[in-house]
Amino acid sequence: MGRYSRLHRIERMDPRQDYEEIFRLITAYEFPWDYLQGVSVAFLRDYGVPRISQLLDRTQEFERVGQKRYDDTILIAHEMVRDGMDSEGGRAAVRHLNRIHGRYRIADEDYLYVLATTVVGPKRWIDRYGWRPLSPQETESLALVGRHMGDMMGIAGLPADYAGFARLHDAYEQRMFAYDPANRRVAAATLRVVTQWYPRGLRALVARASLAVLDDSLLTALGFRPQPRRVRIAVRRALRARAALVRHLPPRPDRLPYRPKPRSYPFGWTLDDLGPHWSHSRPLRPLPDEDEDETGGTPPTGERPPRREPR
């Protein structure tokens, strides 16, 4: 298999029909590390909006159990797409996410923005720091996966394509980004989670590198000063050097797709493990295209037998 073989395969696919398969190829084979970096930056962008960060600050989850909160967010999204979003497992994961969110009063435009960051953030990261930019088919697949997720969550006003998500994302930030002390607290707690993955002597360097890839408008909203120009240049050159190296490596074999390796669950996880401890005491609600009786008989702890993720 050549380095660009999967890209040539993707270019022959129709994202309107094959968007889930294209998304799987992006996240499990072509750009697993870059996609996660884009999602991580998307988390930080959410904190630039005071009413989002104030809600997260009130829960204190990033302060108390930050690593689990980070892992759970990644894993719930993974559960949604692992077997297909319309599979039993995918639908169960969305119902579980909806009952977690159902405890809070969240504005529709905030739902839309957070969803848009998970579409726009990875695209912009990969185009800037990936070993190649995303193709038009890959870009639209990100948007269609986001739209499908939004449909299942019952979010109204979803954009039809990537351009729509990008416009929504940028317009919302221009209107809503503002500094609040809660922004900084939640962002600092998240950065502590990230830096603790590294040896103690490297943590300050990792923190500075993480801030160096953020734009000035986000840094201002989070209450952080921009890194010195020499630091930003060094970090960006290092990322582009990594991209050049990856470009010349052989592609990931089909037998070795990327799988999440959450630090909170070294022995695997089930859907029941994910989310706050109180979430399973809340009732499950049907998805927008389901009837009440489709979830009425479901026990409060979940919707499918426990299943350990293979390691």
Side-chain angles (χ1 to χ4, degrees):
M1 177 187 292
R3 193 67 182 99
Y4 289 84
S5 296
R6 286 199 181 94
L7 173 60
H8 298 328
R9 175 182 167 191
I10 289 168
E11 288 174 336
R12 294 192 297 269
M13 299 169 76
D14 181 354
R16 292 169 296 180
Q17 299 178 4
D18 303 320
Y19 58 89
E20 289 193 63
E21 174 62 11
I22 296 173
F23 182 81
R24 185 183 72 85
L25 294 173
I26 293 170
T27 58
Y29 293 101
E30 293 287 90
F31 303 102
W33 185 83
D34 292 288
Y35 180 80
L36 285 176
Q37 304 317 303
V39 169
S40 296
V41 172
F43 290 167
L44 291 172
R45 301 202 79 82
D46 297 340
Y47 311 153
V49 181
R51 68 186 181 198
I52 294 176
S53 59
Q54 287 165 7
L55 172 59
L56 294 170
D57 190 44
R58 287 197 300 272
T59 70
Q60 286 291 291
E61 286 192 4
F62 279 103
E63 288 287 351
R64 295 183 292 103
V65 287
Q67 183 64 61
K68 174 176 165 55
R69 177 64 170 77
Y70 181 94
D71 288 339
D72 288 355
T73 302
I74 297 293
L75 292 177
I76 289 175
H78 174 70
E79 290 288 321
M80 287 184 196
V81 302
R82 180 176 62 182
D83 299 321
M85 287 186 283
D86 287 320
S87 68
E88 178 187 351
R91 298 174 77 83
V94 180
R95 292 190 203 105
H96 184 47
L97 181 63
N98 285 348
R99 70 173 166 186
I100 294 171
H101 287 158
R103 179 173 178 174
Y104 307 107
R105 296 176 64 88
I106 302 174
D108 286 347
E109 64 175 347
D110 294 348
Y111 273 123
L112 280 168
Y113 170 68
V114 171
L115 184 62
T117 63
T118 67
V119 173
V120 177
K123 156 72 173 170
R124 290 180 174 173
W125 177 280
I126 292 170
D127 284 354
R128 178 171 290 182
Y129 300 121
W131 65 271
R132 63 169 174 82
L134 289 181
S135 69
Q137 293 87 348
E138 290 167 322
T139 299
E140 287 310 317
S141 293
L142 287 179
L144 291 171
V145 166
R147 181 177 174 85
H148 194 160
M149 285 185 179
D151 278 333
M152 295 176 74
M153 294 173 67
I155 301 174
L158 292 162
D161 54 20
Y162 176 80
F165 273 107
R167 286 193 298 270
L168 183 154
H169 175 280
D170 294 346
Y172 180 97
E173 287 189 352
Q174 188 173 17
R175 184 164 50 91
M176 300 297 290
F177 265 12
Y179 174 70
D180 186 274
N183 300 11
R184 184 180 173 94
R185 285 194 295 269
V186 180
T190 301
L191 289 170
R192 281 196 295 273
V193 170
V194 173
T195 58
Q196 286 170 3
W197 302 343
Y198 299 87
R200 187 177 300 275
L202 294 178
R203 291 176 185 173
L205 178 62
V206 171
R208 295 189 70 177
S210 299
L211 294 174
V213 298
L214 305 182
D215 56 87
D216 288 350
S217 63
L218 177 58
L219 289 168
T220 299
L222 298 179
F224 294 117
R225 293 180 180 177
Q227 293 297 298
R229 185 170 181 270
R230 66 181 183 279
V231 174
R232 287 179 287 163
I233 290 173
V235 170
R236 290 167 187 171
R237 284 179 176 173
L239 288 168
R240 288 170 182 147
R242 174 196 171 272
L245 174 63
V246 173
R247 191 178 303 120
H248 290 92
L249 294 176
R252 182 182 286 265
D254 288 343
R255 69 180 185 281
L256 294 175
Y258 170 80
R259 297 183 186 280
K261 298 178 178 63
R263 290 166 172 78
S264 303
Y265 307 104
F267 305 108
W269 69 90
T270 69
L271 186 59
D272 289 349
D273 296 322
L274 309 181
H277 66 86
W278 48 259
S279 61
H280 295 293
S281 64
R282 294 182 58 81
L284 286 166
R285 302 298 183 193
L287 301 182
D289 62 346
E290 295 175 338
D291 297 325
E292 287 285 349
D293 58 4
E294 292 188 56
T295 55
T298 301
T301 56
E303 304 194 23
R304 56 177 173 174
R307 171 180 174 179
R308 288 292 177 190
E309 178 72 9
R311 300 301 302 274

